[in-house]
Amino acid sequence: DRNRTAILVAVVYALLNLFGGLAARHSHRAAAWAGGESQLTGRLWGIILGLYAMASAGLFLGVSLLPILGFIALAILLNIWKPVFVSQLYNHAEEAAGATTLSVANQSKTLSVAVLAPILGWGVDQASAGSAALMALWPVAVAGILFSALGIWVHRIAGKGEP
């Protein structure tokens, strides 16, 4: 049973990486479809919010397939997001500061993970007391809803397109 689980996890992980790589490779097509990188960013924020809402609904309703599909779709979408985000940063940075801008962006991601991971981990630990294992992920889904709503708000305020 343990071997079967390990093989299943390896297959899912490999497929996620394969689909993620394909998504990253074709992110320029998604930007062209959306009408530009800024418009794609707005649409991605909306889709991400919807996926976190779907995952939350599935967690609270006990429909395991919804959060599983939601988190898989999020993993793939983030591979579209990253090249678009890097391209936008580079396009808005001064030419001499391009590498520094990208380094700061990478470091800010690392810092946000370092701050949020323990907080969300604590939340999942608290939620897991007396509840089903999958249901304990609700703090992650709710945080995703809050952060994606914040992203939509910032995107609208910046006037960079419609989410």
Side-chain angles (χ1 to χ4, degrees):
D1 191 44
R2 260 183 112 164
N3 288 337
R4 184 176 59 174
T5 301
I7 290 171
L8 182 61
V9 167
V11 168
V12 169
Y13 188 74
L15 288 173
L16 278 176
N17 280 314
L18 176 68
F19 289 131
L22 287 171
R25 183 175 183 198
H26 296 289
S27 63
H28 66 284
R29 290 184 182 168
W33 167 80
E37 290 175 343
S38 181
Q39 290 81 1
L40 178 61
T41 300
R43 289 183 184 195
L44 285 174
W45 274 123
I47 293 168
I48 290 168
L49 175 64
L51 288 170
Y52 275 118
M54 180 182 86
S56 293
L59 290 169
F60 286 110
L61 295 173
V63 181
S64 301
L65 188 61
L66 291 178
I68 291 169
L69 292 177
F71 287 128
I72 288 171
L74 282 166
I76 294 168
L77 274 181
L78 291 177
N79 284 295
I80 294 174
W81 177 276
K82 187 173 182 180
V84 170
F85 177 69
V86 168
S87 177
Q88 282 185 308
L89 281 179
Y90 193 76
N91 289 338
H92 288 84
E94 293 181 23
E95 196 168 319
T100 302
T101 302
L102 297 178
S103 177
V104 168
N106 201 23
Q107 291 173 15
S108 66
K109 178 188 172 201
T110 301
L111 178 63
S112 64
V113 168
V115 170
L116 291 175
I119 294 169
L120 289 175
W122 178 83
V124 169
D125 286 345
Q126 298 305 306
S128 67
S131 69
L134 190 61
M135 177 57 188
L137 292 176
W138 73 261
V140 175
V142 170
I145 290 172
L146 295 174
F147 280 110
S148 53
L150 178 64
I152 290 170
W153 181 71
V154 168
H155 187 73
R156 282 190 176 176
I157 293 230
K160 301 289 186 184
E162 291 297 320

